[in-house]
Amino acid sequence: MIPLESLTPCFQGLLPAWLLTCSKDGIPNVAMLSHVDYVDSSHIALSFQFFNKSKRNVTENPRALVRLYDPDTLQMYALRLRFVRTETAGATFERMRLRIEAIASYSGLKGVFKLLGADIYEVLEVAPVEHEVGRPTAASTPRPAAGVPFTMKALQEFSARIHGAATLDALLDAVLETLEQNFGFRHSMILLASERPERLELIASRGYPPGGVGSEVGFGEGIIGMVAEARKPVRISGMLRQMLYAYAVAQRAQERGLRPDDCRIPLPGLPHPESQLGIPLIAHDDLVGVLCIESQQPYRFHEEDRAYLEVLGGFLAIAIQNTLLRERAEESEDAPTAPSRTEDGKRLPAPSGSGPNLEITWYEADECVLADGEYLVRGLPAKILRKVLREHRDEGREEFTNRLLRLDKSLQLPVVKDNLESRLILLRRRLEERCPAIRIASCGRGRFRLELEANVTLVERP
Amino acid sequence: MKGSAPISAELAAFLESGLSITAGTRDRELNPDGARAWAARVDEDRTHLTVFIHAKAAPALLRNLESCPEVALAFDRPVDNRACQVKGRFESSRRARPDERAEVERQAGGFLSQLDEIGIPRALTAGWKVWPAVAIRLRVTELFEQTPGPGAGEPLR
């Protein structure tokens, strides 16, 4: 028998697989499958999302057949199966559930489009269907050897870049750059846990148009939110097809009066990703963030990518934590430079003195900041921006230290494990993207300088 | 034995529009088997359907059908997953006629274009052989909704 392991690409869901069953009365049934998963060398798991004839049939007659395609050659394989059991917990169920719920949340279908069980089948026979091959020439071409990007040299390079990064800022960019240059992952992003519970914010990305910094993802939303919630990697291939499948379910659900939730999650990243791989960044049991890579190519990421990136993600999480601790330990304890008082207490002077006018509005209730009426940032980064603009206005202060911010009770930083450095990076990058007239420039460890190229007015609203 | 289920004009147009068609059969031991069909034609009486299967796939399918005539056909439109299932009983088979080739190729082409739309390029499907085909005629006994989601599996009216 062809080893099941050699069919791993067939389990990517690029093309629908078909499950053929037969009732005890001899009526055949053919059903489309949203997910087929490899379990071990003699078992596969099929997604069980709706009570249907297939389910009834295999309960009374366990004989079944799955027809699925190799996505590289469109070679059809027929797998002769025997239904064994339905699992509603455990590693296989969890893996399938995360993927299905990530798809569901993109389609506003959480709760409707879900996994009821992972149906485990014993594989009795695997045979290629001789006359059903889409690209016969490709069948003889060996598949590119798995693991090519994860050479020892590339891994060493990754490690060296992590060790060489002096600041969190440099670390994040170095990691994403290395992912592209050494491993060929061109679209990547890192989201870090926000100070608000169960939310992540995008802090660094590569391969996307600017403007994504500060994008938020709630736990359980999309692949990134599912990774964060479950603290497990999630890999999705052939997303377009799976989204179409989910969309068909959504349409039917709406016709039936069921209410899929209306708020679709705007996905930070590619507008139409075909493959996604999300890795939790966990250090000492803390979820530091999520690393997500994407591709417009269907079936781009393989199990091996997941396995390697999970290990690299572990290093990255520890590196992020260590960098934060080190930065804090080395923070300057010097007092900031003496403020130079301004005559006008309201207007913030632009260094050039001739910059354009810029209105920064702080909304207390939402804890967010708008720049000339456009949303800029919220939460802790917004509070920091208000604080430094205020102090600049009232006291003429231009230089600030992280230590000073930590001592400010109005910022409500947690006593232990505050994430001030990452919030400052987010604020700085957000300003670079959306409001370049205000700059937060680093001027030594734990210090930064406020630089203005506009006449900034700070307006504070309830 | 089940009676005949008439196919509406709208459904007939859908079934003949160039879809993914999978035919399911079984042997005496209740082992299911299947094959891809490339095209379907609904008879004028609306209670019979002919599907076209590549000649190489036909022998195995016919071996089952000659002893166990029950057949299931899953029709699926790849671009939106509208789907239905036709249950029937095998009546007869023959070699597809040359004058049927254009229609079989039109429907197969429609299916392949849809695959192309959802990211499976023609280059990948170029090897799939459509012709020569065998025409398999069946009497339609039941029709079911099969678009994924709540309601899948309910009888079609």
Side-chain angles (χ1 to χ4, degrees):
Chain A
M1 182 169 102
I2 297 171
L4 262 189
E5 288 72 15
S6 69
L7 298 191
T8 328
C10 305
F11 302 132
Q12 305 296 317
L14 183 66
L15 268 167
W18 295 90
L19 171 64
L20 292 93
T21 59
C22 177
S23 72
K24 67 177 185 332
D25 304 325
I27 308 293
N29 193 71
V30 185
M32 188 198 286
L33 286 165
S34 78
H35 288 80
V36 180
D37 244 48
Y38 170 86
V39 176
D40 60 36
S41 60
S42 56
H43 293 87
I44 58 169
L46 309 183
S47 56
F48 163 40
Q49 287 178 258
F50 304 98
F51 281 99
N52 54 25
K53 278 202 188 74
S54 305
K55 185 73 181 176
R56 225 166 19 239
N57 285 355
V58 295
T59 313
E60 56 188 42
N61 168 29
R63 299 171 182 88
L65 184 96
V66 156
R67 285 166 52 84
L68 45 78
Y69 285 103
D70 180 314
D72 295 330
T73 62
L74 289 206
Q75 166 73 60
M76 168 71 86
Y77 288 91
L79 277 60
R80 207 157 278 289
L81 311 173
R82 188 181 64 84
F83 174 64
V84 184
R85 65 178 178 277
T86 299
E87 290 182 356
T88 53
T92 303
F93 174 80
E94 202 52 19
R95 195 171 59 237
M96 294 176 98
R97 181 186 74 83
L98 290 176
R99 217 162 40 211
I100 284 170
E101 288 192 12
I103 292 284
S105 78
Y106 288 140
S107 332
L109 268 176
K110 272 201 131 177
V112 177
F113 191 67
K114 62 180 181 186
L115 187 69
L116 298 177
D119 285 343
I120 309 293
Y121 288 80
E122 182 188 0
V123 180
L124 307 173
E125 189 189 316
V126 180
V129 181
E130 297 299 341
H131 54 274
E132 281 192 62
V133 50
R135 191 165 57 171
T137 47
S140 54
T141 328
R143 210 187 292 289
V148 167
F150 297 100
T151 57
M152 189 50 79
K153 187 172 173 296
L155 294 170
Q156 280 169 334
E157 173 98 0
F158 183 86
S159 167
R161 293 292 299 270
I162 280 188
H163 285 297
T167 61
L168 178 61
D169 222 6
L171 173 71
L172 296 169
D173 289 339
V175 165
L176 298 187
E177 197 180 297
T178 313
L179 284 177
E180 173 166 2
Q181 290 172 354
N182 294 71
F183 305 107
F185 302 129
R186 292 175 46 222
H187 304 283
S188 58
M189 58 182 117
I190 294 173
L191 291 92
L192 295 185
S194 156
E195 72 279 3
R196 281 166 303 135
E198 306 212 325
R199 296 203 75 76
L200 299 160
E201 282 167 332
L202 191 141
I203 191 161
S205 66
R206 190 174 170 89
Y208 302 104
V213 170
S215 298
E216 292 180 53
V217 176
F219 278 31
E221 294 173 357
I223 183 170
I224 293 160
M226 291 308 297
V227 168
E229 187 177 274
R231 296 167 159 239
K232 287 199 170 76
V234 178
R235 183 171 60 99
I236 311 179
S237 308
M239 282 187 71
L240 175 59
R241 193 190 70 70
Q242 297 190 45
M243 296 292 281
L244 288 169
Y245 187 89
Y247 185 70
V249 176
Q251 292 286 96
R252 298 288 298 164
Q254 254 157 355
E255 284 162 24
R256 295 284 159 134
L258 296 172
R259 289 170 47 83
D261 73 67
D262 291 328
C263 52
R264 296 195 178 194
I265 308 307
L267 171 70
L270 292 176
H272 302 292
E274 266 293 316
S275 305
Q276 288 185 321
L277 173 57
I279 302 288
L281 305 177
I282 298 170
H284 310 299
D285 224 26
D286 282 335
L287 181 81
V288 176
V290 171
L291 166 69
C292 183
I293 57 173
E294 296 188 305
S295 172
Q296 272 153 332
Q297 189 186 330
Y299 165 58
R300 167 70 178 79
F301 309 126
H302 305 252
E303 264 310 287
E304 190 155 54
D305 298 315
R306 182 200 58 73
Y308 272 104
L309 281 181
E310 206 176 352
V311 175
L312 297 184
F315 285 128
L316 177 57
I318 291 170
I320 290 174
Q321 273 206 340
N322 285 349
T323 311
L324 289 175
L325 289 172
R326 197 180 60 219
E327 279 194 65
R328 204 166 305 165
E330 291 174 3
E331 265 173 20
S332 162
E333 298 207 356
D334 299 343
T337 50
S340 54
R341 289 222 158 265
T342 51
E343 287 170 21
D344 177 0
K346 293 284 175 200
R347 182 62 56 114
L348 299 161
S352 64
S354 59
N357 291 329
L358 173 67
E359 186 178 275
I360 296 292
T361 316
W362 157 263
Y363 287 91
E364 183 73 35
D366 300 324
E367 293 187 342
C368 79
V369 161
L370 273 60
D372 275 347
E374 296 274 325
Y375 171 74
L376 182 64
V377 74
R378 72 198 297 174
L380 184 54
K383 286 188 200 171
I384 296 172
L385 181 60
R386 178 186 60 156
K387 177 185 167 62
V388 300
L389 288 179
R390 245 187 191 174
E391 292 190 6
H392 185 66
R393 180 192 65 193
D394 299 343
E395 301 166 25
R397 191 188 296 284
E398 287 177 352
E399 281 198 15
F400 299 83
T401 64
N402 294 6
R403 194 177 147 73
L404 194 80
L405 295 181
R406 281 205 173 84
L407 294 172
D408 184 340
K409 293 210 163 34
S410 73
L411 295 178
Q412 293 168 311
L413 282 163
V415 182
V416 248
K417 287 184 189 163
D418 70 50
N419 46 6
L420 180 61
E421 284 81 0
S422 71
R423 306 293 81 192
L424 279 169
I425 293 176
L426 193 147
L427 174 59
R428 207 193 60 239
R429 292 184 176 200
R430 187 75 186 157
L431 288 168
E432 280 166 11
E433 286 181 353
R434 292 296 166 98
C435 189
I438 302 179
R439 278 197 308 274
I440 301 272
S442 172
C443 55
R445 286 222 180 266
R447 305 171 72 103
F448 62 89
R449 188 171 46 243
L450 177 68
E451 296 175 354
L452 303 175
E453 282 184 3
N455 297 308
V456 179
T457 313
L458 175 65
V459 180
E460 303 193 39
R461 297 236 162 95
Chain B
M1 186 197 291
K2 295 228 165 66
S4 298
I7 295 171
S8 71
E10 195 276 332
L11 182 61
F14 174 67
L15 299 180
E16 295 177 353
S17 65
L19 303 174
S20 158
I21 310 172
T22 304
T25 63
R26 53 103 178 173
D27 65 12
R28 286 202 174 97
E29 282 73 49
L30 301 180
N31 288 304
D33 206 351
R36 178 173 290 291
W38 290 107
R41 289 309 297 267
V42 177
D43 279 18
E44 278 180 10
D45 69 5
R46 298 271 170 80
T47 59
H48 287 80
L49 184 74
T50 301
V51 287
F52 296 85
I53 285 170
H54 190 264
K56 282 190 176 162
L61 202 76
L62 289 170
R63 233 182 349 262
N64 274 356
L65 287 177
E66 274 151 16
S67 56
C68 312
E70 296 85 359
V71 58
L73 295 166
F75 291 81
D76 170 69
R77 185 160 61 192
V79 288
D80 62 2
N81 283 143
R82 177 183 169 184
C84 73
Q85 180 133 172
V86 175
K87 306 276 195 200
R89 289 183 72 82
F90 170 66
E91 296 232 318
S92 61
S93 72
R94 59 173 170 79
R95 282 189 81 82
R97 299 185 304 266
D99 65 325
E100 290 169 314
R101 181 169 183 170
E103 176 61 12
V104 172
E105 287 179 346
R106 180 193 70 79
Q107 289 191 28
F111 166 58
L112 298 180
S113 300
Q114 290 189 59
L115 290 187
D116 191 53
E117 259 180 73
I118 63 164
I120 299 150
R122 284 288 191 132
L124 258 184
T125 53
W128 283 348
K129 296 280 179 284
V130 175
W131 201 262
V134 168
I136 294 174
R137 187 164 185 264
L138 52 111
R139 181 165 55 80
V140 176
T141 53
E142 286 173 292
L143 298 163
F144 294 98
E145 174 62 53
Q146 208 172 14
T147 305
E154 290 177 6
L156 264 180
R157 296 265 154 243

